[in-house]
């Protein structure tokens, strides 16, 4: 049976300017889940509820199969790493070493050698206060410090903002090796499509506080395609998942389908030759999805 | 180790299928030798920018075909390929290539006899390049 890192059921939260939910979702353990959504769609609020920084008005959350009506017990909380969108000011007046010393007291599994190795690789400056660091440097410290206790679950809220391309590549590599064990789970909120492309196993879309489903990334790439055939538009009536249709020159029909596998099978069985197939770029897929075209088999509001 | 797999994104063929058939050819043709330790699922997936779900599926399929074996805690290795398996694969690979060549001929309405002559000419020029154009 598939193990679940975090499950949310019927979660609702009224914020000052928006309403989040109702949200049902499951984060399967051992995978990287990319969380995509426009600014203000509720991504950070979702993560804050997963840490009980914010309490939902309605619904239930469970962590590794257990739910906690009060606070998350420390032995569970210390297995969840978090890189927040804005760094907390508590550590502002500490250097990276001092802040690490402080964190190490709280996290039993803190791995100082690993932490030092990460600071070295990321070239995080030593002996200067965290608040004196550039945005990117501070970010690299935050990522290193979140990885050092080898958490079972890592919540990353736009971790790459401020990183230069070299640090970004390094972050991708480090997150991949962190996933090597097969036990760890990452929820990665990002605006960088390439990050999702390189890291994610699943993609989850949040829009105006509602979940527009979760899909396997490769299934999106396999099924959302542009297909050119000889024929007239009425041909598309018998095809599944057609979301765009255009008659090009000389009887060539151009279609975008969300069910390419099924579409091409039907075309083949009907003896209609496919002239060309093109896989949509992930950002094209995401913007069509955002417009309300859901991947086959997903329901709006459900995380399955 | 690095596995030379080339994904074609502009094909209707699903990713797992592309990876699986290329990895299968590499193993059966002997380009990846028996006993070779394959990359971990996460590493392989990272190199191809695809998900671990896809790579796991490929490893499981090839394991049930007897081409791979997984040792708990060590990793996934290339198994011994039988001679008969290799023979079947060799023939199938050629059959498949010839068949798609014929399909091209059919799609542009080349007559059977013309195709046959073309084939013989190409065959001759490949096997006896020194003799020039070959039989007319």
């Amino acid at each position: 049976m598939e193990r679940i890192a975090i499950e949310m059921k019927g979660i609702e939260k009224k914020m000052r300017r928006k309403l989040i939910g109702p949200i049902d979702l499951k984060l399967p353990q051992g995978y990287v889940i990319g969380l995509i959504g426009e600014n203000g769609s509720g991504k950070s609020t979702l993560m804050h509820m997963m840490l009980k920084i914010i309490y939902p008005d309605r619904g239930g959350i469970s962590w590794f199969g257990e739910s906690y009506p009060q606070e998350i017990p420390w032995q569970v909380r210390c297995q969840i790493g978090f890189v927040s969108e804005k760094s907390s000011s508590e550590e502002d007046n500490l250097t990276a070493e001092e802040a690490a010393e402080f964190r190490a007291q709280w996290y039993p599994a803190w791995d100082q050698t690993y932490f030092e190795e990460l600071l070295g690789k990321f070239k995080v400056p030593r002996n200067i206060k965290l608040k004196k660091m550039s945005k990117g440097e501070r970010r690299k410290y935050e990522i290193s410090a979140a990885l050092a206790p080898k958490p079972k679950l890592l919540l990353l809220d736009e971790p790459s903002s401020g990183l230069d391309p070299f640090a970004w590549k390094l972050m991708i590599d480090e997150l991949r090796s962190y996933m090597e064990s097969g036990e760890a789970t990452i929820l990665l909120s990002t605006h960088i499509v390439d990050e999702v492309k390189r890291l994610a196993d699943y993609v989850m879309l949040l829009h105006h506080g509602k979940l527009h489903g979760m899909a396997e990334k490769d299934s999106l790439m396999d099924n959302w395609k542009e297909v050119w055939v000889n024929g007239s538009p009425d041909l598309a009536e018998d095809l599944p998942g057609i979301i765009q249709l255009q008659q090009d020159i000389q009887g060539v029909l151009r279609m975008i389908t969300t069910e390419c596998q099924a579409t091409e099978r039907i075309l083949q069985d009907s003896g209609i030759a496919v002239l060309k197939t093109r896989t949509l770029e992930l950002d094209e897929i995401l913007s069509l999805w955002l417009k309300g075209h859901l991947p086959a088999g997903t329901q709006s509001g459900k995380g399955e | 180790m690095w596995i030379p797999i080339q994904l074609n994104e502009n094909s209707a063929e699903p990713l797992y299928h592309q990876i699986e058939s290329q990895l299968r050819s590499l193993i059966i043709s002997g380009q990846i030798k028996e006993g070779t330790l394959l990359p971990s699922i996460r590493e392989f997936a990272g190199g191809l920018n695809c998900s671990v779900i896809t790579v796991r599926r490929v490893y499981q399929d090839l394991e049930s075909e007897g081409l791979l074996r997984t040792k708990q805690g060590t990793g996934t290795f290339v198994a011994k390929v039988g001679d008969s398996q290799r023979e079947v694969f060799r023939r199938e690979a050629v059959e498949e290539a010839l068949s798609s060549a014929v399909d091209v001929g059919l799609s542009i309405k080349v007559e059977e006899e013309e195709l046959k002559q073309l084939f013989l000419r190409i065959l001759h020029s490949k096997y006896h390049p020194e003799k020039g154009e070959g039989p007319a």
Side-chain angles (χ1 to χ4, degrees), chain A residues 134-146:
Chain A
S134 74
K135 190 182 177 199
E137 288 166 345
R138 178 75 184 256
R139 215 73 191 136
K140 293 190 278 191
Y141 155 77
E142 299 286 351
I143 294 167
S144 307

Side-chain angles (χ1 to χ4, degrees), chain A residues 33-94:
Chain A
I33 301 114
L35 178 61
I36 300 283
E38 295 167 315
N39 296 322
S41 56
K43 302 190 294 294
S44 300
T45 310
L46 199 67
M47 287 196 180
H48 290 160
M49 286 195 283
M50 289 178 177
L51 291 159
K52 287 207 174 188
I53 295 171
I54 293 176
Y55 285 73
D57 301 330
R58 246 182 235 108
I61 309 178
S62 62
W63 292 262
F64 307 106
E66 301 283 331
S67 54
Y68 309 101
Q70 306 301 316
E71 291 204 353
I72 307 172
W74 186 251
Q75 72 268 22
V76 177
R77 178 59 187 81
C78 72
Q79 295 185 46
I80 307 175
F82 180 43
V83 174
S84 64
E85 198 185 354
K86 293 182 195 76
S87 306
S88 96
S89 54
E90 283 169 30
E91 293 181 327
D92 271 359
N93 286 312
L94 303 175

Side-chain angles (χ1 to χ4, degrees), chain B residues 16 23 65 74 98-100 120 125:
Chain B
Y16 95 88
L23 186 55
E65 286 177 28
T74 326
L98 285 177
S99 166
S100 62
L120 289 173
S125 72

Side-chain angles (χ1 to χ4, degrees), chain A:
Chain A
M1 202 188 76
E2 196 174 45
R3 291 169 304 160
I4 303 298
I6 285 194
E7 177 166 13
M8 285 185 158
K9 276 187 191 158
I11 287 292
E12 284 180 51
K13 176 75 187 174
K14 198 171 181 320
M15 302 293 283
R16 219 177 321 149
R17 293 187 301 130
K18 64 191 170 214
L19 188 70
I20 310 275
I23 285 179
D24 291 88
L25 65 79
K26 285 178 183 169
L27 303 184
Q29 211 174 317
Y31 296 100
V32 180
I33 301 114
L35 178 61
I36 300 283
E38 295 167 315
N39 296 322
S41 56
K43 302 190 294 294
S44 300
T45 310
L46 199 67
M47 287 196 180
H48 290 160
M49 286 195 283
M50 289 178 177
L51 291 159
K52 287 207 174 188
I53 295 171
I54 293 176
Y55 285 73
D57 301 330
R58 246 182 235 108
I61 309 178
S62 62
W63 292 262
F64 307 106
E66 301 283 331
S67 54
Y68 309 101
Q70 306 301 316
E71 291 204 353
I72 307 172
W74 186 251
Q75 72 268 22
V76 177
R77 178 59 187 81
C78 72
Q79 295 185 46
I80 307 175
F82 180 43
V83 174
S84 64
E85 198 185 354
K86 293 182 195 76
S87 306
S88 96
S89 54
E90 283 169 30
E91 293 181 327
D92 271 359
N93 286 312
L94 303 175
T95 66
E97 289 84 354
E98 288 163 353
E101 207 175 304
F102 181 71
R103 289 199 191 201
Q105 295 171 5
W106 288 92
Y107 291 90
W110 182 272
D111 184 338
Q112 185 63 22
T113 318
Y114 179 39
F115 178 69
E116 296 277 347
E117 187 190 314
L118 290 170
L119 288 190
K121 279 188 192 171
F122 278 123
K123 303 198 184 82
V124 176
R126 310 297 180 102
N127 304 317
I128 70 162
K129 288 180 178 172
L130 292 177
K131 70 172 176 195
K132 297 277 182 202
M133 289 184 185
S134 74
K135 190 182 177 199
E137 288 166 345
R138 178 75 184 256
R139 215 73 191 136
K140 293 190 278 191
Y141 155 77
E142 299 286 351
I143 294 167
S144 307
L147 283 168
K150 303 263 171 82
K152 261 167 86 178
L153 170 66
L154 201 48
L155 305 177
L156 303 175
D157 199 355
E158 295 181 26
S160 53
S161 67
L163 296 191
D164 63 57
F166 312 105
W168 180 77
K169 178 69 178 56
L170 195 61
M171 179 193 79
I172 301 278
D173 291 343
E174 288 305 324
L175 293 179
R176 272 182 189 155
S177 53
Y178 159 75
M179 290 302 292
E180 256 315 305
S181 71
E183 298 292 316
T185 308
I186 294 180
L187 180 65
L188 170 74
S189 136
T190 181
H191 292 297
I192 303 183
V193 175
D194 210 25
E195 214 160 279
V196 177
K197 181 145 175 122
R198 284 172 194 244
L199 278 174
D201 301 304
Y202 290 95
V203 184
M204 200 186 257
L205 193 79
L206 199 62
H207 191 46
H208 294 314
K210 297 216 179 342
L211 208 57
H212 278 214
M214 178 164 116
E216 261 183 51
K217 183 190 65 190
D218 289 358
S219 157
L220 290 174
M221 304 304 286
D222 280 341
N223 281 298
W224 290 57
K225 300 205 183 200
E226 195 170 19
V227 179
W228 285 261
V229 294
N230 275 320
S232 58
D234 51 329
L235 182 71
E237 286 165 21
D238 300 321
L239 298 172
I242 305 294
I243 56 174
Q244 265 183 29
L245 193 62
Q246 197 184 317
Q247 185 83 58
D248 281 357
I249 37 124
Q250 292 175 336
V252 174
L253 192 63
R254 187 168 61 87
M255 304 177 280
I256 289 181
T257 173
T258 61
E259 292 180 60
C260 178
Q261 300 304 312
T263 300
E264 297 225 350
R265 207 175 311 121
I266 294 170
L267 288 170
Q268 202 177 9
D269 292 347
S270 335
I272 299 165
V274 174
L275 304 171
K276 182 181 163 184
T277 308
R278 180 181 77 93
T279 296
L280 299 185
E281 297 294 335
L282 191 54
D283 60 309
E284 295 176 90
I285 296 176
L286 294 172
S287 58
L288 287 166
W289 189 358
L290 210 57
K291 281 180 188 153
H293 302 293
L294 300 185
T298 54
Q299 279 173 288
S300 191
K302 293 282 176 193
E304 304 284 315

